[in-house]
Amino acid sequence: MASSSDFQQDRHSFSGSPEKWNDFELPGDTLYYRFTSDMSNTEWGYKFTVTVGHLGRFQTGFEILKQMLSEERVIPHLPLAKIWEWQVGVACRQTGHQRLKAIHLLLKIVQCSTQGDCDLTLLKPLWQLFSHMENNLCHDVAKPGILLPLHRALAELFFVTENRVTELGSLQEYLLALNTEDHLHRCTAQ
């Protein structure tokens, strides 16, 4: 299967039992497929389901928003407060690479926002995730996969955000909003 008739673009080949088949996304509005039998058995063929526009919505939205946030002349016309709120929600709900992409967009929004554009207290669930990762750092280093990039992305987000709120003169309010009373008592005791 591919997105071009010459089977050179976005090509996906499958063979064997159904367990070897994986879901995948193809850009565009056309799917090209070819079936070739090696005559090794007498199975009836293959079956696949095409779902239009369902799997690619996140990537499409990410690319559009990333491009809009990269255009300085567009930023003043964007409802950054609402986009921030949506994007924080996306970063909290998603996992894996989609969460990393959502955090990347949050970072871009923080960097281009002015005072009052973003309710930074909405970052509290991500702060808790980051704090948990910091507390378990020795365990995370041993795990392969998405944990280390996620830890780095959150560290960068909170570093840039802290610098931004320091510039705006609201660091104390920001830190109080992200932490629980119990955490603040522990820090004071230390």
Side-chain angles (χ1 to χ4, degrees):
M1 296 181 206
S3 62
S4 64
S5 60
D6 63 358
F7 293 91
Q8 297 302 308
Q9 294 177 346
D10 306 304
R11 183 180 174 154
H12 298 271
S13 297
F14 300 97
S15 178
S17 64
E19 294 80 34
K20 294 182 180 180
W21 289 56
N22 298 316
D23 289 346
F24 62 93
E25 296 180 30
L26 285 179
D29 60 0
T30 306
L31 163 75
Y32 296 91
Y33 64 94
R34 181 180 336 165
F35 175 74
T36 305
S37 174
D38 62 4
M39 304 294 206
S40 63
N41 58 37
T42 58
E43 301 289 332
W44 62 269
Y46 62 92
K47 175 182 175 181
F48 61 90
T49 303
V50 176
T51 307
V52 179
H54 178 68
L55 295 174
R57 289 185 299 194
F58 179 89
Q59 185 64 28
T60 301
F62 169 77
E63 292 296 334
I64 291 170
L65 190 52
K66 183 176 80 170
Q67 186 61 39
M68 290 172 67
L69 291 169
S70 298
E71 299 287 334
E72 286 186 36
R73 67 181 193 278
V74 173
I75 292 171
H77 305 287
L78 296 176
L80 283 182
K82 199 64 170 162
I83 293 171
W84 174 261
E85 184 181 330
W86 292 331
Q87 206 56 41
V88 170
V90 169
C92 290
R93 285 188 308 274
Q94 293 295 336
T95 59
H97 292 289
Q98 290 182 339
R99 177 177 272 170
L100 286 174
K101 288 179 178 184
I103 292 169
H104 171 78
L105 291 176
L106 289 174
L107 186 59
K108 287 182 87 62
I109 294 170
V110 166
Q111 291 169 330
C112 68
S113 68
T114 60
Q115 189 167 5
D117 279 345
C118 306
D119 180 0
L120 298 175
T121 63
L122 295 175
L123 290 174
K124 189 170 187 168
L126 293 175
W127 176 255
Q128 290 169 342
L129 174 63
F130 177 67
S131 297
H132 177 74
M133 294 177 88
E134 285 285 299
N135 292 336
N136 297 315
L137 186 59
C138 60
H139 300 295
D140 290 345
V141 173
K143 292 181 183 177
I146 205 67
L147 289 176
L148 288 176
L150 175 60
H151 191 206
R152 284 194 309 269
L154 287 170
E156 183 177 7
L157 174 64
F158 287 111
F159 177 75
V160 169
T161 303
E162 186 176 322
N163 286 336
R164 188 77 178 116
V165 295
T166 301
E167 290 171 8
L168 299 173
S170 55
L171 179 61
Q172 184 175 358
E173 295 85 6
Y174 167 71
L175 293 175
L176 288 172
L178 289 185
N179 290 289
T180 63
E181 191 172 318
D182 184 48
H183 178 74
L184 293 174
H185 285 283
R186 281 195 313 269
C187 290
T188 304
Q190 287 177 341

